[in-house]
């Protein structure tokens, strides 16, 4: 169980750092709209897994919502 939780934490940190890096590189492109961000993540990365793309887009969406509120 410890190994699984460590792997999940590693994946969460990896996705979060990737998402924040995208926002840093393209600050004016991403918005607080999930659908828009989903397409942008596909365009700006080589992520071919839909679940991973959606997770990154969702994190960026929540990040942008927090930044504007």
């Amino acid at each position: 169980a410890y190994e699984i939780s460590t792997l999940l934490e590693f994946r969460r940190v990896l996705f979060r750092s990737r998402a924040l890096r995208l926002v840093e590189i393209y600050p004016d492109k991403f918005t607080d709209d999930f659908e828009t961000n989903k397409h942008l993540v596909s365009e700006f990365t080589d992520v071919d897994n839909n679940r991973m793309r959606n997770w990154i887009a969702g994190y960026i969406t929540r990040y942008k919502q927090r930044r504007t509120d």
Side-chain angles (χ1 to χ4, degrees):
Y2 175 75
E3 294 169 0
I4 292 174
S5 65
T6 303
L7 288 174
L8 292 175
E9 181 63 26
F10 174 75
R11 183 170 41 166
R12 182 171 35 239
V13 169
L14 180 68
F15 289 165
R16 184 174 61 200
S17 65
R18 214 176 221 198
L20 292 176
R21 181 77 176 136
L22 284 171
V23 172
E24 184 180 297
I25 295 171
Y26 307 104
D28 298 331
K29 298 279 187 184
F30 290 99
T31 67
D32 60 356
D33 177 58
F34 174 72
E35 291 297 324
T36 302
N37 293 341
K38 189 166 68 169
H39 293 294
L40 290 171
V41 169
S42 291
E43 182 180 335
F44 295 140
T45 67
D46 60 352
V47 173
D48 57 355
N49 182 312
N50 286 343
R51 177 180 268 178
M52 187 185 305
R53 179 204 61 201
N54 290 348
W55 201 98
I56 294 170
Y59 186 87
I60 291 171
T61 301
R62 289 188 303 275
Y63 177 80
K64 285 294 201 174
Q65 287 171 345
R66 285 192 312 262
R67 300 284 291 182
T68 58
D69 288 347

